[in-house]
Every structure is written in structure tokens, then in C-alpha cells.
Amino acid sequence: MSLDDVILLLHPALAVVVVFPLIGIVLNRAILTRRRRLQTPSGKSQIAPTVGSEHLQLGRWLTGSVVGVALLGLAYPIGSKILETKRWTTHPFQVVFILFMFLTTIGSLILLYRARPWYWRAIFAGLTSLGVIVLGFQDGVFRRDNEWFVSHFYYGLVATVLMILSLAMVQDIYRDRTQVWRRIHILLNCLATLLFFGQGLTGTRDLLEIPLSWQKPHLDRCDFVNQTCPNVSSQLPVVSPPLV
Ligand code: HEM
Ligand code: HEM
């Protein structure tokens, strides 16, 4: 496998090895947190009181890993396009801007982890989300605009923004006695869970559609609209039958 193929595999491998197991644990702790909260007024619950803080700790890791994996997924096609077209010779400012956006997005996420007052959380959540969105609309990213409803890109973008919002609203969930923020959190994250399932499905589909680098020149000759490839058997060298 060439270095190019290995770099392409980093994103799906990290998603499968790190992000999806984390989603499983976060979901488990979320269900236990809710069950415990609903059981507690009517008597003693068997569920450990630590489930809420475990959900929060792992949720914080989940936000970081989802943003990280999304940025990695975007960096590969954007970087490939820049290298392929030698963009820095024709549009040097665009290349600097893209680098700046990657750094600003990561910096804003770090500051979001540290922010406490609501306005800083809103500003850094906004900046992180904006960074991911702006990077998503750069040249080279395969967005599947004509089939947006089954697009790995759009599902990933929305799921990433929902994780950023979850991190930004933690303090509000704890402070709010009316439970409105808690309900908003549940609603948004049920949607995020569905989108994560979608990411699993659309990601494996996309992986199947991307050829290894040595196969690419051959597959480039195929007609992807009509789903046909040149007849390979007609191009094979004619081998004369052995003389007996
Ligand atoms: C797959 C994504 C997630 C789902 C499905 C989810 C779902 C839930 C559910 C069902 C609850 C319990 C609500 C109740 O008590 O009725 C909860 C609580 C909470 N979630 Fe999440 N959540 C997710 C991700 C996150 C993330 C990423 C964070 C933060 C970074 C987070 C922070 C919290 C906090 C602070 C609570 C309150 C915990 C407590 O009561 O001690 N969640 N979540
Ligand atoms: C948390 C889950 C995930 C998120 C947030 C995510 C996000 C993204 C984003 C934003 C992109 C760039 C846009 C695009 O090309 O569609 C991308 C690309 C990609 N993702 Fe994911 N992804 C996730 C999981 C997965 C999984 C589980 C797989 C496969 C097993 C996968 C395979 C791919 C592939 C093959 C690409 C294309 C890279 C390219 O265009 O060169 N992703 N992902």
C-alpha cells in the first residue's frame, strides 16, 4: 500500500477504533443517567451516582475526537487537491487561508473547553463550527450535493456541529432548574446518534468507492454515470494456443 493510501485510511481507522467505541460508552452512560434521574424521586436507585459525571467526561472526549476526525477527513481531500494543482504557485493566499482556518478551528475548540461565561462559550462554539463549515466548502471535498440526503459530508458536518453545541451547553444543563436545556440536549443528541449511524453506513460505502492508488488510472477510464467500464477482455494480449 502506498503512503497516499495509508493517509486516506487514517480517518476511517480513527473513526472505527476511537470514535465509535466512545459513542457506545457515552450512549450507555446517557441512558443510565436518565434512568437514575427518573428513579431517584420515587426511592433509591441501584444505578451508581457517578454515571452523570462519567457521561460528561466521555462526552468531552467525544466532542474532541469527532471534531478531530472530521478535520482529518477534510484535510486529506483538501491537501490532495492543493498538491495536485500546485495551488501555492497560483493562489498562495488561498493556501495560507486554509492553513489559518485549520489552526483557528483547533484553537477555538481548545478555548471552548476552557470557557465558562455563556458569551465566550457561544463565541468559541460559533468559531469552531464556522471553521469546520468553511473548510468543508473548499475545493477537493466530495460533498455529494446531488444526493445530499445520503451524503457522508453533510451528515458529518451536522453531527460535528451538534457535538460542539453539546460541549458549549454543559453548564446550562446543570444550572437550569426547568430542565429545558436538558431536553434540548437530549433532542439534539438523539439526532446526532442517528447521524453517527449514518456516518457508519455512508463512510463504508465511500471507502468502497475510492480505489487504491495503483487502481486509480484504470478506474478513471470508467463511466461513473452509466456505471460501465471499458471491456477489459478485448484489451488482453492474444495468446496463441499451445501446439500439440
Ligand atoms: C451521542 C451523544 C449524546 C447523547 C445521546 C446524550 C444523551 C444524554 C442523555 C439522555 C442525558 C440524560 C438526560 C436526563 O437526565 O434525562 C444526558 C445528560 C447529559 N449530557 Fe449528554 N448526550 C450525548 C453527548 C454529550 C456530550 C458530547 C456532552 C458534553 C460534552 C454531554 C453532556 C451531558 C451533560 C452535562 C448531561 C447531564 C449529566 C448529569 O445529569 O449529571 N452529552 N445526555
Ligand atoms: C464520527 C464519524 C465520522 C465523521 C464525523 C466523519 C466526517 C467526515 C468528513 C467531514 C469527511 C470529508 C468530506 C467527505 O469527503 O465526505 C469524511 C470523509 C471520508 N470519510 Fe468520514 N466521518 C466519520 C466516520 C467515517 C467512517 C466510520 C468511515 C468508514 C469506515 C469513513 C470514511 C470516510 C471516507 C472514505 C472519506 C472520504 C475521504 C476522501 O474524500 O478522500 N468516515 N468523513
Side-chain angles (χ1 to χ4, degrees), residues 239-244:
V239 181
S240 35
L243 293 170
V244 246

Side-chain angles (χ1 to χ4, degrees), residues 79-92 95:
S80 304
K81 189 79 183 178
I82 290 176
L83 292 176
E84 202 182 290
T85 54
K86 294 200 169 54
R87 203 90 187 157
W88 60 91
T89 54
T90 50
H91 298 81
V95 178

Side-chain angles (χ1 to χ4, degrees), residues 199-217:
Q199 284 305 84
L201 296 175
T202 53
T204 38
R205 173 204 58 193
D206 287 359
L207 205 53
L208 202 61
E209 284 181 2
I210 299 172
L212 288 166
S213 48
W214 63 267
Q215 297 168 338
K216 203 169 174 301

Side-chain angles (χ1 to χ4, degrees), residues 135-149:
L135 285 170
F137 286 90
Q138 296 303 314
D139 281 354
V141 179
F142 179 52
R143 288 184 283 273
R144 207 181 279 270
D145 286 321
N146 54 335
E147 286 180 330
W148 57 268
F149 44 90

Side-chain angles (χ1 to χ4, degrees), residues 27 30 34 37 52 55 59-60 63 174 182 185-186 189 193:
L27 273 178
R34 181 167 174 79
R37 190 173 63 80
H55 172 71
R60 283 167 64 90
T63 301
Y174 282 123
R182 203 174 270 270
H185 175 77
I186 298 174
N189 283 301
T193 308

Side-chain angles (χ1 to χ4, degrees), residues 22-66:
L22 254 181
I23 293 174
I25 314 175
V26 168
L27 273 178
N28 170 272
R29 296 302 187 274
I31 294 166
L32 290 179
T33 306
R34 181 167 174 79
R35 214 179 278 161
R36 183 174 199 283
R37 190 173 63 80
L38 297 180
Q39 279 172 1
T40 310
S42 61
K44 236 174 156 290
S45 170
Q46 299 291 317
I47 300 165
T50 49
V51 285
S53 58
E54 281 174 15
H55 172 71
L56 171 59
Q57 283 311 315
L58 293 161
R60 283 167 64 90
W61 278 100
L62 182 61
T63 301
S65 56
V66 169

Side-chain angles (χ1 to χ4, degrees), residues 108-122:
S108 306
L109 182 66
I110 294 172
L111 293 172
L112 176 61
Y113 272 103
R114 292 160 175 258
R116 288 290 167 266
W118 70 267
Y119 45 89
W120 283 123
R121 283 186 279 130

